[in-house]
């Protein structure tokens, strides 16, 4: 059933989305609320200035609609037992409430690709005028994207990058530079270990560019800058804490020489910390731990000296996603690749910055 499209133009907005510094609505409430706590200065999500390719409503063949009259569908990928996912979904809900979107429908694919496809198809059948999608994988969503394309429903992707074409199957990608995150994690590990270590890598889940890029950034930087650091093992912990712990327990038994862990997200890093303790060793000292995300749990451990470094991967896409949608539906060209800036936490700043974590 197609949704009657409203022809009224959206709120006009001056500039294409390029370098935007946006305040964040708080992610503390549990429901959709128009109330939001004042954003802490450094929780803001900032897009890097870009002169890359753009996409406009005319290019995409969509129709203008006012957000206040729009039904927005949000497709979340992974279970919300990871603070990254909890904060990401809450940011979308908070911003939708703040803007006064007519209706926001959220789904969660529980880390299952086939369910994300059916979730998106359901959102379309429920009358979504706009879709915000956090893809589980870089490939495989084609049937759902085609269903949206056939109805000219704009799709904004946040977090992970799809292999298919921007301004064709979807309007824009909003997310981090994951290769850069891996490089920065390597820099933290090189500094923290003095350039000598035997490292195990806890890989993220397969099938998405985040894992590929965080691995490439890290390995290339170690090879380029640290001849006395050896990567002795790489194994996936599926971005999950329990699997990160189980894999680390096994790696420590088979590689007792390990002196540092690079975990491609905080949840696996915290699992590794539990494994290190179970092995009778002191995390942060006997075996150092570096990871990516910026969750409160990890940053608190860092401040306590039981963790060694965290590179932020900011999940608070709500303001930037809706600003992109407003610009696009108002006829402005928006960037096809909108890359955000990410902060970092180290032993010197963790205690002061922990409130920026999520
Ligand atoms: C990164 C995101 C990753 C997080 C993990 O943008 O896709 O997925 O870093 C999550 O915590 O599992």
């Amino acid at each position: 059933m197609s949704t009657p499209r409203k022809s009224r133009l959206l709120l006009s907005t001056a500039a294409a989305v390029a370098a935007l510094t946006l305040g964040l609505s708080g992610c503390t409430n549990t429901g959709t609320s128009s109330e939001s706590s004042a954003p802490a200065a450094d929780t803001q999500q900032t897009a890097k200035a870009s002169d890359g390719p753009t996409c406009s409503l005319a290019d995409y063949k969509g129709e203008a609609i006012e957000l206040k009259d729009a039904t927005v569908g949000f497709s979340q990928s992974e279970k919300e037992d990871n603070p990254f996912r909890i904060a990401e979904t809450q940011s979308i809900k908070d911003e939708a409430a703040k803007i006064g979107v007519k209706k926001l429908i959220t789904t969660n694919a529980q880390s299952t690709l086939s369910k994300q496809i059916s979730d998106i198809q359901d959102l379309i059948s429920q009358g979504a005028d706009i879709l915000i999608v956090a893809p589980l994988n870089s490939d495989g969503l084609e049937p759902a994207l085609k269903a949206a394309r056939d109805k000219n429903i704009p799709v904004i992707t946040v977090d992970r990058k799809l292999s298919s074409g921007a301004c064709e199957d979807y309007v824009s990608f909003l997310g981090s530079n994951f290769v850069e995150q891996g490089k920065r994690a390597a820099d933290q590990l090189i500094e923290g270990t003095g350039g000598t270590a035997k490292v195990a890598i806890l890989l993220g889940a397969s099938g998405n560019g985040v894992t590929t890029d965080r691995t490439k950034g890290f390995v290339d930087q170690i090879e380029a800058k640290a001849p006395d650091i050896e990567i002795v093992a790489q194994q996936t912990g599926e971005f999950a804490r329990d699997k990160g712990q189980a894999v680390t327990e096994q790696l420590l038994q088979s590689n007792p020489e390990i002196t540092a862990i690079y975990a491609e997200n905080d949840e696996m890093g915290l699992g590794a910390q539990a494994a290190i303790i179970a092995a009778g060793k002191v995390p942060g000292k006997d075996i150092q731990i570096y990871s990516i995300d910026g969750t409160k749990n990890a940053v608190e451990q860092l401040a306590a000296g039981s963790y060694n470094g965290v590179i932020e991967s900011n999940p608070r896409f709500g303001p930037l996603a809706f600003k992109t949608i407003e610009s696009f539906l108002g006829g402005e060209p928006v960037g096809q690749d909108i890359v955000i800036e990410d902060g970092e936490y180290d032993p010197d700043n963790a205690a002061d910055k922990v409130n920026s974590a999520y």
Side-chain angles (χ1 to χ4, degrees), residues 100-175:
V101 165
K102 184 183 82 173
K103 185 176 180 185
L104 174 71
I105 309 170
T106 63
T107 60
N108 188 301
Q110 299 298 317
S111 307
T112 305
L113 178 62
S114 57
K115 186 176 185 307
Q116 187 158 41
I117 293 169
S118 56
D119 284 348
I120 293 170
Q121 292 168 330
D122 290 347
L123 289 168
I124 292 169
S125 65
Q126 291 178 67
D129 300 300
I130 300 139
L131 290 167
I132 303 172
V133 175
L136 178 67
N137 291 344
S138 300
D139 299 291
L141 282 180
E142 288 74 20
L145 297 173
K146 184 180 183 313
R149 178 73 273 179
D150 290 348
K151 294 194 169 194
N152 287 334
I153 296 171
V155 177
I156 300 286
T157 62
V158 296
D159 174 21
R160 297 177 180 177
K161 190 169 171 62
L162 292 174
S163 306
S164 49
C167 209
E168 292 164 16
D169 303 326
Y170 63 95
V171 174
S172 296
F173 159 76
L174 281 60

Side-chain angles (χ1 to χ4, degrees), residues 32 66-73 92-105 129-130 132 322 325-326:
T32 300
E66 199 168 336
L67 273 178
K68 295 193 183 321
D69 296 331
T71 295
V72 178
I92 297 289
K93 288 180 177 176
D94 286 352
E95 193 66 16
K98 191 172 162 186
I99 289 177
V101 165
K102 184 183 82 173
K103 185 176 180 185
L104 174 71
I105 309 170
D129 300 300
I130 300 139
I132 303 172
F322 279 102
I325 291 166
E326 276 183 339

Side-chain angles (χ1 to χ4, degrees), residues 175-310:
S176 298
N177 180 330
F178 304 111
V179 172
E180 182 184 325
Q181 290 177 340
K183 175 184 172 302
R184 291 167 65 190
D187 289 339
Q188 284 196 327
L189 188 147
I190 292 166
E191 182 175 357
T193 61
T196 300
K198 298 213 182 283
V199 178
I201 302 178
L202 297 178
L203 302 167
S206 60
N208 65 80
V210 175
T211 299
T212 309
D213 289 353
R214 284 180 182 170
T215 305
K216 173 173 174 48
F218 180 86
V219 170
D220 288 355
Q221 187 70 349
I222 293 294
E223 286 175 359
K225 301 286 184 183
D228 295 329
I229 291 181
E230 182 187 357
I231 297 171
V232 298
Q234 300 186 38
Q235 193 168 336
T236 184
E238 303 287 337
F239 283 136
R241 187 180 302 202
D242 57 351
K243 291 187 179 169
Q245 178 173 350
V247 167
T248 304
E249 283 167 354
Q250 177 246 313
L251 290 175
L252 293 180
Q253 286 167 12
S254 52
N255 303 274
E257 76 280 11
I258 288 170
T259 60
I261 302 275
Y262 163 53
E264 292 180 347
N265 84 328
D266 289 1
E267 281 297 293
M268 294 190 293
L270 292 163
Q273 185 188 53
I276 291 165
I277 293 166
K281 299 199 172 185
V282 180
K285 310 255 184 320
D286 299 333
I287 298 178
Q288 297 192 10
I289 310 168
Y290 299 84
S291 63
I292 299 173
D293 266 347
T295 61
K296 265 199 174 43
N297 297 331
V299 177
E300 285 168 350
Q301 291 301 309
L302 178 52
S306 304
Y307 217 91
N308 302 90
V310 177

Side-chain angles (χ1 to χ4, degrees), residues 21-24 38-46 314 316 353 355-356:
T21 298
L22 300 160
L24 277 182
D42 38 9
T43 59
Q44 291 179 348
Q45 199 174 60
T46 304
N314 193 332
R316 306 174 181 103
K353 284 189 66 177
N355 284 337
S356 304

